[in-house]
Amino acid sequence: MSRDLAASPSASATRMHAITDETTAIVDMVLEYARRRILSDDTPLDKPFTPAELRRLAGRTISEEGMGARRALALFENVLAPSCITTEHPQYLSFIPSAPSKAATAFDLIVSATAVYGGSWLEGSGAVYAENDVLAWLAHEFGLPETAGGVFVQGGTIGNLSALVAARDHADRLRREAGRPRPERWVVIASAEAHSSIASAAKVMDIDVVAVPVGESGMLHGDAVRPALVEHGEAVIAVVATGGSTNFGIVDDIASIAALKDEHDFWLHIDGAYGLAAALSALARPRFAGIERADSLIVDPHKWLFTPFDSCALLYRDPEIARLAHTQHAEYLDALTESTEYNPSDYSVQLTRRARGLPLWFSLATFGAQAYRDAIGVSIELAHAVASEIAARDYLALVREPQLSVVVFERVGWSPGDYAHWSNRLLDDQHAFVVPSSHAGRTNARFAIVNPRTTLDDLIGILDSMQ
Ligand SMILES: *Cc1c(COP(=O)(O)O)cnc(C)c1O
């Protein structure tokens, strides 16, 4: 090959990776935008565009030559970003909002910049150490033994699935070792108000969910779980208690469910994706009595622990059980699987892993635990304050007393169409993002509060708009 022929393709092949004036300008431009966005105090709520609008405004964005960074970034800033709702906006009160600390968001850039591989100790020991320090702190907060451990995974859905897979593996091994037959169908026992990800995990695992009905309070109690344990006996993989339901923020009566361990041998999993963060605040800690007996639990830092999407802390009482269930074996992985070091990938259903616990580590290490307790506490107090405000208005009715930071209420006399109309107007006016929800077939309105910058005045303004 002549020199000329070789030079041009290789210059093109390294153009994206070489350190040149072009790539330096791109990095500067992107970091400048990121800095502006992270520190912006007036990013609007924004709202979705239709596919047709986006097609018209953005058009075809991919070509053989590329459009250049300046145009691509301008397209993102002026068209694509404004068509994404600002989930960290203080008036974003639907689903579960996000409320990352500035430190966590900024550090998320570093997780990318350092190209850390978070799956193995060999490749990412320092990152794994820091993540495990956070997990050890959480385990201590929840009363788990010092030997507890786990991994940060993508989200609560993957966390619940990974925990239940470990629980099934364990149940299967116990039955086998005791020479007892494997049940025809495995089951998981959970509240009828458990999160949809439990049903999703069961579907993936091809097992059944026994949905135990709950009373008016929405709380699952041990007394209701006992008959299901008796009925399904050997087939039970785990009992799932919810530590803060997504719809209502209701915490199951974990203590009475955990106490059943004295009568029955079962795996207790706590789904605390949204609510378990509240156990860090003295205002809510007593509601979580019994979690110290959990065999596994999850809590999502991207919900109420102030980190950007996406991150779930998954903890096991005995991580060795999870390691046996999840370690992937392959020749190219021998150097990892034959070591005794702590490899996060061995504890969940994913292999390649972003060190997605690091933004929480940085923010928590920076500000300390008390800042977290305080920031969580203000949302709990705000939920109770707005509940009193709702109770005092004759055109509104609380559906349930809030326990954590979700408040669900009805506008007396409104049809589903009235709620939809009101909700659309709130977003059109860029006032707030509150989508209608429902309970027992009745439409309602729901505030999910995790942002310490949301104020009582903000919420009262929304209540006033329903008059
Ligand atoms: C949000 C949530 C989940 C699912 O978590 P993702 O991170 O969205 O996958 C599971 N359980 C509960 C109680 C939740 O609130």
Side-chain angles (χ1 to χ4, degrees):
M1 203 190 288
S2 80
R3 284 196 107 211
D4 275 347
L5 272 179
S8 130
S10 83
S12 170
T14 57
R15 179 180 160 205
M16 298 186 292
H17 295 78
I19 296 159
T20 60
D21 288 351
E22 183 188 26
T23 53
T24 303
I26 292 171
V27 170
D28 286 346
M29 224 182 330
V30 169
L31 291 181
E32 196 277 325
Y33 173 78
R35 182 178 192 283
R36 213 161 8 99
R37 175 62 182 80
I38 294 170
L39 295 177
S40 139
D41 215 9
D42 57 358
T43 306
L45 261 170
D46 292 322
K47 58 180 207 169
F49 295 0
T50 65
E53 282 170 327
L54 282 171
R55 183 60 76 204
R56 182 172 58 77
L57 294 168
R60 288 265 165 231
T61 60
I62 308 303
S63 66
E64 209 49 53
E65 315 74 39
M67 68 172 76
R70 194 164 298 281
R71 272 188 66 200
L73 193 59
L75 187 61
F76 183 78
E77 180 167 3
N78 300 320
V79 177
L80 305 178
S83 72
C84 299
I85 296 188
T86 304
T87 60
E88 60 184 341
H89 195 287
Q91 271 90 262
Y92 180 119
L93 299 156
S94 291
F95 312 116
I96 302 290
S98 83
S101 71
K102 300 300 176 201
T105 300
F107 199 84
D108 201 46
L109 302 177
I110 294 186
V111 179
S112 292
T114 47
V116 170
Y117 180 77
S120 75
W121 186 268
L122 174 67
E123 291 152 284
S125 62
V128 176
Y129 173 85
E131 288 187 320
N132 285 355
D133 216 26
V134 177
L135 291 172
W137 176 74
L138 287 172
H140 179 77
E141 285 289 322
F142 303 148
L144 293 180
E146 254 177 47
T147 45
V151 55
F152 286 92
V153 296
Q154 177 269 330
T157 300
I158 299 296
N160 282 333
L161 174 63
S162 298
L164 293 176
V165 166
R168 174 172 63 186
D169 202 61
H170 185 57
D172 199 25
R173 188 170 320 103
L174 289 182
R175 310 279 187 280
R176 229 178 22 243
E177 284 170 4
R180 304 201 302 261
R182 175 184 278 169
E184 214 160 282
R185 296 286 296 170
W186 293 108
V187 307
V188 164
I189 298 172
S191 147
E193 296 198 11
H195 188 266
S196 51
S197 57
I198 302 300
S200 158
K203 199 167 163 190
V204 172
M205 295 168 70
D206 191 24
I207 63 172
D208 296 326
V209 178
V210 174
V212 179
V214 291
E216 267 303 293
S217 71
M219 290 168 73
L220 183 66
H221 289 270
D223 284 345
V225 173
R226 186 182 290 108
L229 279 170
V230 171
E231 182 182 343
H232 297 281
E234 289 279 297
V236 177
I237 291 170
V239 175
V240 177
T242 305
S245 63
T246 324
N247 283 334
F248 281 98
I250 299 289
V251 183
D252 286 340
D253 185 354
I254 298 170
S256 69
I257 298 166
L260 296 172
K261 279 173 162 281
D262 297 334
E263 307 163 26
H264 298 268
D265 189 15
F266 65 92
W267 179 289
L268 175 60
H269 175 67
I270 310 291
D271 177 2
Y274 147 67
L276 190 48
L280 300 176
S281 164
L283 294 175
R285 183 62 179 85
R287 295 193 186 278
F288 295 89
I291 45 170
E292 65 283 355
R293 296 189 73 177
D295 295 285
S296 57
L297 59 82
I298 64 159
V299 57
D300 279 0
H302 66 223
K303 286 183 171 168
W304 206 0
L305 287 173
F306 316 122
T307 75
F309 302 128
D310 41 21
S311 180
C312 164
L314 164 62
L315 273 169
Y316 300 96
R317 167 176 295 274
D318 180 357
E320 182 59 14
I321 293 172
R323 197 183 65 79
L324 290 172
H326 287 298
T327 302
Q328 293 189 27
H329 296 275
E331 285 163 354
Y332 87 102
L333 297 173
D334 280 351
L336 302 179
T337 33
E338 287 168 6
S339 81
T340 55
E341 288 159 346
Y342 196 92
N343 297 318
S345 291
D346 291 345
Y347 300 89
S348 78
V349 296
Q350 60 183 77
L351 183 65
T352 294
R353 199 179 73 83
R354 179 177 177 83
R356 46 184 83 254
L358 284 185
L360 173 58
W361 165 76
F362 179 70
S363 186
L364 192 55
T366 297
F367 293 108
Q370 188 63 48
Y372 277 71
R373 299 186 207 287
D374 293 345
I376 292 162
V378 293
S379 291
I380 298 173
E381 284 177 332
L382 180 55
H384 286 83
V386 78
S388 305
E389 195 57 50
I390 289 165
R393 294 176 181 227
D394 55 10
Y395 62 95
L396 299 175
L398 266 183
V399 178
R400 279 174 180 158
E401 279 299 325
Q403 290 188 352
L404 303 182
S405 69
V406 176
V407 186
V408 183
F409 55 102
E410 291 180 6
R411 166 63 168 84
V412 178
W414 270 12
S415 69
D418 292 329
Y419 282 98
H421 182 75
W422 163 77
S423 170
N424 289 337
R425 208 187 59 230
L426 279 182
L427 189 59
D428 281 343
D429 295 349
Q430 294 285 285
H431 179 184
F433 183 54
V434 186
V435 297
S437 183
S438 71
H439 177 63
R442 294 169 63 94
T443 308
N444 58 42
R446 171 179 169 279
F447 293 153
I449 308 163
V450 297
N451 192 327
R453 301 184 65 194
T454 304
T455 66
L456 184 58
D457 278 350
D458 292 339
L459 302 179
I460 286 177
I462 298 169
L463 301 183
D464 287 346
S465 74
M466 301 176 91
Q467 248 162 342

